Amino acid sequence: MFTEAELEAVFRALSNPTRRQMLVWLKDPLGFPGQEPDDVEVGVCVTDIQQRVGLGQSTTSQYLTMLRQAGLVVATRRGKWTYYRRDEANIARLMETLREVF
């Protein structure tokens, strides 16, 4: 079950429509150009997310950091690149908490 502080972080992260859209896009990583089936477990490169969202690199990174801090995505570093994927286990835990609380 999520704590009240964790729920606040989730609601804050999801209060922005662009961050919500990023989370939706990450549900289908193969929807990003150049994404290979073998890459799905690692995630989507922040550069590919940035190109799709059309924001600057720093804003995109800040948005993804907020989603990561809320426990909605996982970041994996490979060399100089960072890849993001949804944290499906934590999202399922969030959904269970919402069912119990609300």
mmCIF file of all heavy atoms in Angstrom, residues 12-35:
data_model
loop_
_atom_site.group_PDB
_atom_site.id
_atom_site.type_symbol
_atom_site.label_atom_id
_atom_site.label_comp_id
_atom_site.label_asym_id
_atom_site.label_seq_id
_atom_site.Cartn_x
_atom_site.Cartn_y
_atom_site.Cartn_z
ATOM 1 N N ARG A 12 1.099 14.564 -7.781
ATOM 2 C CA ARG A 12 1.847 15.725 -8.265
ATOM 3 C C ARG A 12 2.439 15.419 -9.645
ATOM 4 O O ARG A 12 2.356 16.227 -10.568
ATOM 5 C CB ARG A 12 2.944 16.088 -7.254
ATOM 6 C CG ARG A 12 3.505 17.454 -7.401
ATOM 7 C CD ARG A 12 4.432 17.897 -6.252
ATOM 8 N NE ARG A 12 5.130 16.853 -5.527
ATOM 9 C CZ ARG A 12 4.788 16.394 -4.310
ATOM 10 N NH1 ARG A 12 3.762 16.892 -3.675
ATOM 11 N NH2 ARG A 12 5.484 15.447 -3.727
ATOM 12 N N ALA A 13 3.021 14.226 -9.787
ATOM 13 C CA ALA A 13 3.622 13.841 -11.080
ATOM 14 C C ALA A 13 2.563 13.749 -12.169
ATOM 15 O O ALA A 13 2.801 14.148 -13.306
ATOM 16 C CB ALA A 13 4.362 12.509 -10.942
ATOM 17 N N LEU A 14 1.391 13.231 -11.822
ATOM 18 C CA LEU A 14 0.338 13.039 -12.818
ATOM 19 C C LEU A 14 -0.527 14.273 -13.034
ATOM 20 O O LEU A 14 -1.421 14.254 -13.880
ATOM 21 C CB LEU A 14 -0.542 11.846 -12.420
ATOM 22 C CG LEU A 14 0.167 10.494 -12.407
ATOM 23 C CD1 LEU A 14 -0.782 9.407 -11.942
ATOM 24 C CD2 LEU A 14 0.753 10.167 -13.765
ATOM 25 N N SER A 15 -0.242 15.343 -12.306
ATOM 26 C CA SER A 15 -1.039 16.566 -12.463
ATOM 27 C C SER A 15 -0.727 17.295 -13.769
ATOM 28 O O SER A 15 -1.487 18.150 -14.203
ATOM 29 C CB SER A 15 -0.811 17.508 -11.278
ATOM 30 O OG SER A 15 0.511 18.031 -11.305
ATOM 31 N N ASN A 16 0.380 16.929 -14.401
ATOM 32 C CA ASN A 16 0.794 17.574 -15.645
ATOM 33 C C ASN A 16 0.408 16.688 -16.831
ATOM 34 O O ASN A 16 0.783 15.510 -16.872
ATOM 35 C CB ASN A 16 2.311 17.795 -15.607
ATOM 36 C CG ASN A 16 2.831 18.437 -16.853
ATOM 37 O OD1 ASN A 16 2.908 17.796 -17.893
ATOM 38 N ND2 ASN A 16 3.212 19.691 -16.759
ATOM 39 N N PRO A 17 -0.332 17.228 -17.796
ATOM 40 C CA PRO A 17 -0.768 16.394 -18.930
ATOM 41 C C PRO A 17 0.378 15.812 -19.756
ATOM 42 O O PRO A 17 0.260 14.710 -20.289
ATOM 43 C CB PRO A 17 -1.642 17.331 -19.767
ATOM 44 C CG PRO A 17 -1.393 18.694 -19.268
ATOM 45 C CD PRO A 17 -0.825 18.598 -17.894
ATOM 46 N N THR A 18 1.478 16.510 -19.857
ATOM 47 C CA THR A 18 2.613 16.000 -20.628
ATOM 48 C C THR A 18 3.238 14.798 -19.922
ATOM 49 O O THR A 18 3.577 13.801 -20.569
ATOM 50 C CB THR A 18 3.671 17.096 -20.861
ATOM 51 O OG1 THR A 18 3.047 18.194 -21.540
ATOM 52 C CG2 THR A 18 4.841 16.585 -21.676
ATOM 53 N N ARG A 19 3.374 14.877 -18.602
ATOM 54 C CA ARG A 19 3.918 13.730 -17.865
ATOM 55 C C ARG A 19 2.971 12.531 -17.970
ATOM 56 O O ARG A 19 3.424 11.394 -18.113
ATOM 57 C CB ARG A 19 4.182 14.107 -16.407
ATOM 58 C CG ARG A 19 5.375 15.031 -16.243
ATOM 59 C CD ARG A 19 5.787 15.184 -14.799
ATOM 60 N NE ARG A 19 4.811 15.882 -13.989
ATOM 61 C CZ ARG A 19 4.840 17.181 -13.705
ATOM 62 N NH1 ARG A 19 5.807 17.943 -14.176
ATOM 63 N NH2 ARG A 19 3.910 17.721 -12.940
ATOM 64 N N ARG A 20 1.664 12.787 -17.911
ATOM 65 C CA ARG A 20 0.706 11.687 -18.081
ATOM 66 C C ARG A 20 0.865 11.063 -19.464
ATOM 67 O O ARG A 20 0.852 9.842 -19.609
ATOM 68 C CB ARG A 20 -0.735 12.187 -17.895
ATOM 69 C CG ARG A 20 -1.098 12.465 -16.464
ATOM 70 C CD ARG A 20 -2.606 12.642 -16.277
ATOM 71 N NE ARG A 20 -3.235 13.609 -17.154
ATOM 72 C CZ ARG A 20 -3.395 14.911 -16.872
ATOM 73 N NH1 ARG A 20 -2.962 15.406 -15.730
ATOM 74 N NH2 ARG A 20 -4.003 15.702 -17.727
ATOM 75 N N GLN A 21 1.032 11.896 -20.486
ATOM 76 C CA GLN A 21 1.185 11.387 -21.847
ATOM 77 C C GLN A 21 2.459 10.558 -21.979
ATOM 78 O O GLN A 21 2.465 9.517 -22.637
ATOM 79 C CB GLN A 21 1.196 12.545 -22.856
ATOM 80 C CG GLN A 21 1.215 12.087 -24.295
ATOM 81 C CD GLN A 21 -0.004 11.255 -24.657
ATOM 82 O OE1 GLN A 21 -1.126 11.716 -24.543
ATOM 83 N NE2 GLN A 21 0.210 10.029 -25.085
ATOM 84 N N MET A 22 3.537 10.994 -21.353
ATOM 85 C CA MET A 22 4.789 10.241 -21.393
ATOM 86 C C MET A 22 4.578 8.844 -20.804
ATOM 87 O O MET A 22 5.067 7.846 -21.358
ATOM 88 C CB MET A 22 5.882 10.981 -20.618
ATOM 89 C CG MET A 22 6.315 12.272 -21.266
ATOM 90 S SD MET A 22 7.266 13.274 -20.116
ATOM 91 C CE MET A 22 8.886 13.044 -20.801
ATOM 92 N N LEU A 23 3.850 8.770 -19.717
ATOM 93 C CA LEU A 23 3.575 7.483 -19.081
ATOM 94 C C LEU A 23 2.743 6.591 -19.994
ATOM 95 O O LEU A 23 3.003 5.388 -20.106
ATOM 96 C CB LEU A 23 2.873 7.709 -17.737
ATOM 97 C CG LEU A 23 2.822 6.529 -16.790
ATOM 98 C CD1 LEU A 23 4.213 6.050 -16.414
ATOM 99 C CD2 LEU A 23 2.041 6.907 -15.541
ATOM 100 N N VAL A 24 1.786 7.178 -20.685
ATOM 101 C CA VAL A 24 0.972 6.418 -21.646
ATOM 102 C C VAL A 24 1.854 5.918 -22.793
ATOM 103 O O VAL A 24 1.771 4.753 -23.187
ATOM 104 C CB VAL A 24 -0.203 7.276 -22.176
ATOM 105 C CG1 VAL A 24 -0.900 6.599 -23.351
ATOM 106 C CG2 VAL A 24 -1.192 7.572 -21.055
ATOM 107 N N TRP A 25 2.690 6.783 -23.345
ATOM 108 C CA TRP A 25 3.567 6.376 -24.442
ATOM 109 C C TRP A 25 4.482 5.230 -24.034
ATOM 110 O O TRP A 25 4.751 4.331 -24.825
ATOM 111 C CB TRP A 25 4.429 7.539 -24.916
ATOM 112 C CG TRP A 25 3.704 8.582 -25.698
ATOM 113 C CD1 TRP A 25 2.553 8.431 -26.427
ATOM 114 C CD2 TRP A 25 4.087 9.941 -25.843
ATOM 115 N NE1 TRP A 25 2.203 9.635 -27.004
ATOM 116 C CE2 TRP A 25 3.129 10.576 -26.668
ATOM 117 C CE3 TRP A 25 5.147 10.697 -25.362
ATOM 118 C CZ2 TRP A 25 3.204 11.911 -27.012
ATOM 119 C CZ3 TRP A 25 5.226 12.034 -25.709
ATOM 120 C CH2 TRP A 25 4.253 12.630 -26.525
ATOM 121 N N LEU A 26 4.985 5.267 -22.801
ATOM 122 C CA LEU A 26 5.900 4.228 -22.341
ATOM 123 C C LEU A 26 5.207 2.880 -22.174
ATOM 124 O O LEU A 26 5.872 1.851 -22.055
ATOM 125 C CB LEU A 26 6.583 4.650 -21.037
ATOM 126 C CG LEU A 26 7.628 5.755 -21.194
ATOM 127 C CD1 LEU A 26 8.110 6.232 -19.832
ATOM 128 C CD2 LEU A 26 8.793 5.287 -22.048
ATOM 129 N N LYS A 27 3.891 2.889 -22.195
ATOM 130 C CA LYS A 27 3.156 1.624 -22.127
ATOM 131 C C LYS A 27 3.420 0.793 -23.380
ATOM 132 O O LYS A 27 3.365 -0.429 -23.356
ATOM 133 C CB LYS A 27 1.656 1.904 -21.960
ATOM 134 C CG LYS A 27 0.866 0.701 -21.550
ATOM 135 C CD LYS A 27 -0.539 1.101 -21.159
ATOM 136 C CE LYS A 27 -1.263 -0.093 -20.567
ATOM 137 N NZ LYS A 27 -2.579 0.279 -20.077
ATOM 138 N N ASP A 28 3.719 1.463 -24.495
ATOM 139 C CA ASP A 28 4.025 0.786 -25.753
ATOM 140 C C ASP A 28 5.387 1.264 -26.253
ATOM 141 O O ASP A 28 5.478 2.111 -27.141
ATOM 142 C CB ASP A 28 2.950 1.084 -26.803
ATOM 143 C CG ASP A 28 3.261 0.448 -28.147
ATOM 144 O OD1 ASP A 28 4.004 -0.559 -28.195
ATOM 145 O OD2 ASP A 28 2.768 0.971 -29.161
ATOM 146 N N PRO A 29 6.476 0.726 -25.693
ATOM 147 C CA PRO A 29 7.801 1.203 -26.096
ATOM 148 C C PRO A 29 8.116 0.976 -27.568
ATOM 149 O O PRO A 29 8.903 1.713 -28.150
ATOM 150 C CB PRO A 29 8.763 0.414 -25.201
ATOM 151 C CG PRO A 29 7.970 -0.642 -24.554
ATOM 152 C CD PRO A 29 6.529 -0.296 -24.666
ATOM 153 N N LEU A 30 7.481 -0.019 -28.180
ATOM 154 C CA LEU A 30 7.739 -0.274 -29.606
ATOM 155 C C LEU A 30 7.124 0.803 -30.487
ATOM 156 O O LEU A 30 7.395 0.848 -31.689
ATOM 157 C CB LEU A 30 7.228 -1.658 -30.003
ATOM 158 C CG LEU A 30 7.977 -2.822 -29.351
ATOM 159 C CD1 LEU A 30 7.335 -4.146 -29.717
ATOM 160 C CD2 LEU A 30 9.447 -2.805 -29.722
ATOM 161 N N GLY A 31 6.323 1.693 -29.912
ATOM 162 C CA GLY A 31 5.752 2.804 -30.651
ATOM 163 C C GLY A 31 6.742 3.926 -30.914
ATOM 164 O O GLY A 31 6.451 4.866 -31.640
ATOM 165 N N PHE A 32 7.939 3.823 -30.326
ATOM 166 C CA PHE A 32 8.985 4.813 -30.559
ATOM 167 C C PHE A 32 9.834 4.375 -31.744
ATOM 168 O O PHE A 32 10.191 3.202 -31.851
ATOM 169 C CB PHE A 32 9.872 4.962 -29.313
ATOM 170 C CG PHE A 32 9.229 5.699 -28.193
ATOM 171 C CD1 PHE A 32 8.392 5.047 -27.300
ATOM 172 C CD2 PHE A 32 9.439 7.064 -28.018
ATOM 173 C CE1 PHE A 32 7.787 5.720 -26.258
ATOM 174 C CE2 PHE A 32 8.841 7.747 -26.984
ATOM 175 C CZ PHE A 32 8.007 7.076 -26.108
ATOM 176 N N PRO A 33 10.164 5.304 -32.652
ATOM 177 C CA PRO A 33 10.982 4.950 -33.821
ATOM 178 C C PRO A 33 12.315 4.334 -33.400
ATOM 179 O O PRO A 33 12.941 4.778 -32.439
ATOM 180 C CB PRO A 33 11.221 6.297 -34.513
ATOM 181 C CG PRO A 33 10.180 7.210 -33.985
ATOM 182 C CD PRO A 33 9.830 6.708 -32.614
ATOM 183 N N GLY A 34 12.697 3.295 -34.110
ATOM 184 C CA GLY A 34 13.988 2.666 -33.850
ATOM 185 C C GLY A 34 14.001 1.713 -32.665
ATOM 186 O O GLY A 34 15.021 1.090 -32.391
ATOM 187 N N GLN A 35 12.896 1.586 -31.974
ATOM 188 C CA GLN A 35 12.841 0.715 -30.810
ATOM 189 C C GLN A 35 12.729 -0.743 -31.267
ATOM 190 O O GLN A 35 11.881 -1.079 -32.079
ATOM 191 C CB GLN A 35 11.640 1.097 -29.939
ATOM 192 C CG GLN A 35 11.689 0.563 -28.543
ATOM 193 C CD GLN A 35 12.712 1.252 -27.659
ATOM 194 O OE1 GLN A 35 13.280 2.265 -28.021
ATOM 195 N NE2 GLN A 35 12.951 0.691 -26.516
#
